[in-house]
């Protein structure tokens, strides 16, 4: 018989050994690997570590959709082409997170299951939709692991499991079409595991890129990098990886980020995406960004794309702590710890929420006449804010009824979203793909 605590040798980086409270020799090189004897039972438990992050949602609610539904993205059945006011989606269980992709919707249930509906042309639903009309109603994604967070782009979806692994399905695209998912030109209609050696604590998607924040405070990115949104691919190689090919884009790699000291490494605590750009918040609260900024949507002084992380000084204010960002195609909405919402970038169609005649902004500008805000969201040319008392406000392009006003007019200042399904319910979250909007609301009236 084998002894119950057979000892095995495990190689771990020195910095990890520090976290395990092992003795660290200050004279050892930073990346030298050392041997540590760990009981086999203990090493097994290490693999089962559960990740956590403030962005993981836990409050269950119901799902409402409105706007354009021509490819089933409203989840209301194949006969519903649009909704002017929020409509209830029938799901088998309560939901804790909703994400609107370009033309599909992803719902995460309170038991860690994923339901999807909408366009499945490139596999973004992660399930079989061969039965006629099945893409227009919520369907379960076959994934055995418990999921704690989801993200959605134009044609891809990602899921973060409770032990820090990331599964993806669908495809990334660039200006010339499909580029693939994990391998060049290969899409996947079912979840596939991303190969990362470190547990991930948060995932977030742009239109065609995925950002992953690890437990160590590093950022990994993959997908399209044409506009600099990966933060690690120089302009010279941004089109399909240049000489190195698409693997350079599709294989998740570390975003290099150095602190002030030559040897110091920058650690991040949060990350957010716009359609073609990325925001990252350091553990000290500094804001960095990379990607498209042709309308100053990153808060940069010029309009050149940023292909590596830039310290965004327009967000530097000793009295402010930024807690949330969301980006559309050419604009950004953000919120600070005091509950004030701001916008910057392109102004057309009212997407900044700054009133009729507002012009492009290169610095965060307070959106007036809003109550205390807890979260913000953007679609391509729209903006949303959820207040601390559970109301949702919308502004921007209204062409597809996605603002909930019941009209197709553009809205230049925030208006409260209304409808029968919103009566006596708190709004918990909003997500928009641009032409359709998804709300997560309380099951019943809450104080």
């Amino acid at each position: 018989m084998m002894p119950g605590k057979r000892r095995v040798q495990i190689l771990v980086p020195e910095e990890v050994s520090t976290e395990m409270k092992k003795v660290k020799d200050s004279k050892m090189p930073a990346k030298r690997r050392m041997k540590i004897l760990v009981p086999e039972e203990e090493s097994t438990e290490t693999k089962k570590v559960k990740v956590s992050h403030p962005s993981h949602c836990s409050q269950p609610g119901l799902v409402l959709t409105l706007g354009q539904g021509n490819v089933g993205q409203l989840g209301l059945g194949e006969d519903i082409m649009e909704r002017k006011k929020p409509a209830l989606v029938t799901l088998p269980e309560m939901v804790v997170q909703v994400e609107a992709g370009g033309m599909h919707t992803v719902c995460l249930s309170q038991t860690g299951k994923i339901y999807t509906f909408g366009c499945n042309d490139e596999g973004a639903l992660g399930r079989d939709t061969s039965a006629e009309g099945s893409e227009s109603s919520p369907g379960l994604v076959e994934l055995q692991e418990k999921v704690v967070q989801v993200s959605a782009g134009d044609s891809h979806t990602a899921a973060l499991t409770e032990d820090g692994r990331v599964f993806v399905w669908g495809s990334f695209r660039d200006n010339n079409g499909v580029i693939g998912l994990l391998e060049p030109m290969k899409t996947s209609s079912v979840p596939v595991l991303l190969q990362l050696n470190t547990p991930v604590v948060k995932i977030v998607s742009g239109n065609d890129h995925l950002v992953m924040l690890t437990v160590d405070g590093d950022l990994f990115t993959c997908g399209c990098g044409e506009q600099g949104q990966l933060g690690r691919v120089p302009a010279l190689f941004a089109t399909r990886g240049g000489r190195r090919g698409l693997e350079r884009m599709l294989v998740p790699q570390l975003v290099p980020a150095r602190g002030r000291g030559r040897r110091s490494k920058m650690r991040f605590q949060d990350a957010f995406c716009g359609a073609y750009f990325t925001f990252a918040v350091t553990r000290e609260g500094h804001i960095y960004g990379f990607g498209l900024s042709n309308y100053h949507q990153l808060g940069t002084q010029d309009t050149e794309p940023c292909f590596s992380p830039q310290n965004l000084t327009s967000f530097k204010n000793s009295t402010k702590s930024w807690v949330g960002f969301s980006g559309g195609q050419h604009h950004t909405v953000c919120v600070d710890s005091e509950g004030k919402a701001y916008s910057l970038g392109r102004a057309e169609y009212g997407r900044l929420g700054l009133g009729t005649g507002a012009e492009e902004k290169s610095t965060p500008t307070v959106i007036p006449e809003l109550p205390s805000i807890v979260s913000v969201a953007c679609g391509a040319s729209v903006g949303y804010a959820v207040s601390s008392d559970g109301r949702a406000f919308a502004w921007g392009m209204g062409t597809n009824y996605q603002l909930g006003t019941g009209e197709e007019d553009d809205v230049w200042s925030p208006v409260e979203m209304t409808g029968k399904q919103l009566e006596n319910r708190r709004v918990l979250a909003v997500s928009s793909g641009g032409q359709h909007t998804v709300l997560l609301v309380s099951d019943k009236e809450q104080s």
Side-chain angles (χ1 to χ4, degrees):
M1 291 177 63
M2 293 178 65
K5 288 195 175 183
R6 180 166 64 89
R7 303 178 78 82
V8 296
Q9 289 187 339
I10 299 177
L11 293 176
V12 296
E14 187 189 12
E15 59 184 54
V16 174
S17 70
T18 306
E19 293 176 6
M20 297 170 65
K21 298 182 179 179
K22 298 294 180 180
V23 178
K24 177 178 177 180
D25 184 350
S26 60
K27 295 181 181 180
M28 289 176 67
K31 291 187 178 178
R32 181 176 166 187
R33 304 177 79 84
M34 53 192 293
K35 294 180 181 179
I36 299 174
L37 291 175
V38 185
E40 191 173 13
E41 290 178 1
E42 212 172 294
S43 66
T44 304
E45 286 301 312
T46 305
K47 296 177 183 177
K48 295 181 180 178
V49 63
K50 290 186 179 181
V51 298
S52 65
H53 189 268
S55 62
H56 298 178
C57 306
S58 59
Q59 188 171 355
L62 304 175
V63 178
L64 306 179
T65 57
L66 68 155
Q68 182 67 250
N70 59 323
V71 289
Q73 63 266 54
L74 298 182
L76 303 172
E78 56 185 326
D79 297 328
I80 307 298
M81 294 293 105
E82 66 183 20
R83 267 284 186 260
K84 296 182 180 181
K85 291 287 184 176
L88 181 65
V89 179
T90 302
L91 284 149
E93 53 183 319
M94 299 282 276
V95 166
V96 295
Q97 185 190 356
V98 291
E99 293 295 330
M103 292 189 293
H104 74 291
T105 304
V106 184
C107 302
L108 175 63
S109 80
Q110 62 180 343
T111 61
K113 295 183 174 68
I114 300 172
Y115 297 87
T116 59
F117 43 92
C119 182
N120 199 29
D121 288 354
E122 285 160 23
L125 298 190
R127 61 183 177 88
D128 179 20
T129 55
S130 55
E132 188 175 349
S134 59
E135 72 281 358
S136 301
S137 298
L140 180 67
V141 177
E142 293 295 334
L143 190 59
Q144 300 305 315
E145 290 77 3
K146 182 179 181 181
V147 174
V148 294
Q149 193 168 59
V150 292
S151 69
D154 267 4
S155 304
H156 76 274
T157 304
L160 173 65
T161 66
E162 62 179 350
D163 59 359
R165 290 179 295 157
V166 179
F167 288 82
V168 292
W169 54 94
S171 177
F172 296 115
R173 302 174 63 92
D174 65 7
N175 285 332
N176 295 308
V178 171
I179 61 174
L181 188 66
L182 299 183
E183 297 179 50
M185 310 313 292
K186 289 187 179 179
T187 66
S188 178
S189 59
V190 294
V192 288
L193 179 65
L194 276 181
Q195 297 301 319
L196 285 174
N197 295 324
T198 310
V200 171
V201 296
K202 182 180 181 180
I203 56 174
V204 62
S205 289
N207 277 17
D208 286 289
H209 74 293
L210 177 64
V211 179
M212 293 156 281
L213 173 68
T214 73
V215 70
D216 297 327
D218 289 324
L219 290 181
F220 283 78
T221 58
C222 59
C224 174
E226 284 182 324
Q227 293 83 16
Q229 61 266 56
L230 297 185
R232 59 175 177 79
V233 180
L236 183 64
F237 303 106
T239 301
R240 304 210 163 194
R243 294 190 306 274
R244 297 192 188 180
L246 281 168
E247 286 88 349
R248 181 169 195 154
M249 326 298 288
L250 299 178
V251 176
Q253 293 183 37
L254 178 70
V255 176
R258 291 287 168 191
R260 287 187 177 180
R262 211 169 71 179
R263 295 186 178 181
S264 67
K265 191 172 183 180
M266 204 178 302
R267 301 292 184 183
F268 295 97
Q269 65 176 349
D270 219 336
F272 306 88
C273 281
Y276 308 109
F277 49 101
T278 305
F279 287 99
V281 185
T282 70
R283 290 181 175 174
E284 295 74 33
H286 303 302
I287 310 302
Y288 281 74
F290 40 93
L292 190 68
S293 195
N294 55 339
Y295 288 91
H296 304 283
Q297 57 264 49
L298 279 179
T300 52
Q301 294 310 300
D302 59 38
T303 54
E304 293 300 311
C306 303
F307 287 88
S308 61
Q310 304 295 312
N311 189 351
L312 302 176
T313 55
S314 62
F315 291 95
K316 192 173 183 180
N317 187 317
S318 59
T319 64
K320 268 188 192 59
S321 174
W322 298 98
V323 296
F325 294 80
S326 184
Q329 200 171 44
H330 299 132
H331 75 297
T332 297
V333 180
C334 43
V335 60
D336 67 14
S337 56
E338 296 175 356
K340 293 179 181 177
Y342 303 72
S343 61
L344 63 157
R346 191 176 183 180
E348 280 87 349
Y349 313 114
R351 72 187 85 188
L352 296 184
L354 298 176
T356 306
E359 297 180 346
E360 186 177 305
K361 302 293 181 184
S362 60
T363 57
T365 305
V366 174
I367 302 174
E369 300 176 18
L370 278 176
S372 178
I373 297 301
V374 293
S375 67
V376 292
C378 284
S381 305
V382 292
Y384 303 86
V386 178
S387 66
S388 56
D389 61 358
R391 292 180 291 157
F393 297 82
W395 58 90
M397 183 184 286
T399 311
N400 297 285
Y401 302 108
Q402 65 268 48
L403 301 180
T405 62
E407 305 292 338
E408 293 184 282
D409 300 329
D410 299 338
V411 174
W412 288 74
S413 296
V415 294
E416 184 176 350
M417 300 183 74
T418 59
K420 185 178 180 181
Q421 294 292 349
L422 288 173
E423 292 175 5
N424 300 322
R425 284 181 172 144
R426 289 179 61 92
V427 176
L428 306 175
V430 180
S431 182
S432 177
Q435 295 185 330
H436 80 293
T437 302
V438 188
L439 299 96
L440 182 65
V441 300
S442 64
D443 181 25
K444 53 189 175 182
E445 184 175 0
Q446 296 184 8
S447 56

